[in-house]
Amino acid sequence: MTVADPTSSKDSLRDALGRPLRSLRLSVTDRCNLRCSYCMPEPDYVWLPKKELLTFEELDRITGIFCTLGVDKVRLTGGEPLLRSEITTLVRELARRPAVRDLAMTTNGVLLAERARALREAGLRRLTVSLDTLRPERFLALTRADHHARVLAGIEAGRAEGFPLKLDTVVVRGTNEDEMLDLLAFAREIGAEIRFIEYMDVGGATRWTREQVVSRAEMLQAISATHGAVEPVGAQGSDPAERFRLPDGTTFGIIASTTTPFCRACDRSRLTADGTWYTCLYARSGANLRAALRSGASDAEIASLLRVGWRARTDRGAEQRLQLEQRGALAGRPELRQDPRLEMHTRGG
Ligand code: SAM
Ligand code: SF4
Ligand code: SF4
């Protein structure tokens, strides 16, 4: 008689700090059509070799294996996920998996107007569009690309297709902190929920300084000075965003990974486009799942590798960074060029 491994079922898979594995972020490409100053400020980048990118079949298979371990939320990200050709084919495959309860995408919106309908039809459930400014000239300075109108058109197309929409805004002092209230009003007008993100010292953010971080506390103060007292909405759970409500009922979120990290509830895993698995945004190294996928390993063998990796997980990257007295960018340019997987645009946000 075989004795079942009591820790092999998804219900009991916990990391070393008791956190379950629920959410998978698939970075489908490291390429991007913008150069946001907080993410890709450099003049040039080292890209992942094309032949090493996971195929849609591989991405779908690996997602299925993650699902057997408890993942039920999948987010497509990048780089810019809409640059991956035929991305709707992948969406359709993933949407067919009953275990994938929540299928979402984070996009910069530049190509969204052309793709929104196809994405909706393929089964994408939710969209998050990054929008840091309502001013075209500021967008150009921030991203080095003249695509502001296309982003707004993309947001409108997402809305017209009936997607539940979120807007993500990285707030950087001296860049766009003066637009928080306008962005909040814009989001309310279009029926989206906006989340203000603290500037993070992740890989890629080579120009990060503490002074440029607009903290959660400052954001709340700026918003309540105009709108009146804000109240928290529900418990944060494993969601990176803390949600708040204005007196008029408008809700918004704050992702305060820099000053108030939430690692204790983190159930997220990340896969780069070349199949490297990271269990923390700040992790220095990851596991090469592409090698396992391409060496003929069975689903059970790969699941076992993931189970072992997750059980050993002790990551608390943002909380550890908070304890540093001297804090600067996580990685310098030479290190990033040597290992482009350290980049935010490679491992996904
Ligand atoms: N290109 C897509 C986009 O921008 O929506 C998806 C990938 S992008 C890496 C995912 C998210 O990471 C974006 O919302 C972006 O604002 C966020 N991000 C990138 N660098 C960041 C930083 N240094 N601090 C905080 N958020 C950052
Ligand atoms: Fe901006 Fe996203 Fe591209 Fe980074 S990956 S440069 S955040 S659009
Ligand atoms: Fe999760 Fe790492 Fe982010 Fe903490 S820093 S919330 S452990 S991904």
Side-chain angles (χ1 to χ4, degrees), residues 286-306:
N288 182 351
L289 299 185
R290 182 183 73 257
L293 283 165
R294 294 186 181 173
S295 69
S298 67
D299 286 7
E301 283 163 342
I302 296 174
S304 162
L305 202 144
L306 296 179

Side-chain angles (χ1 to χ4, degrees), residues 263-301:
C263 301
R264 68 199 164 279
C266 178
D267 59 4
R268 288 177 291 287
S269 246
R270 295 181 159 77
L271 197 65
T272 60
D274 70 345
T276 311
W277 178 43
Y278 289 95
T279 55
C280 180
L281 199 47
Y282 286 93
R284 290 275 172 187
S285 60
N288 182 351
L289 299 185
R290 182 183 73 257
L293 283 165
R294 294 186 181 173
S295 69
S298 67
D299 286 7
E301 283 163 342

Side-chain angles (χ1 to χ4, degrees), residues 31-36 38-40 78-80 108 130 345:
R31 301 334 195 241
C32 191
N33 43 9
L34 298 184
R35 291 289 181 271
C36 302
Y38 50 74
C39 178
M40 299 184 74
E80 174 44 40
N108 62 28
S130 298
H345 70 264

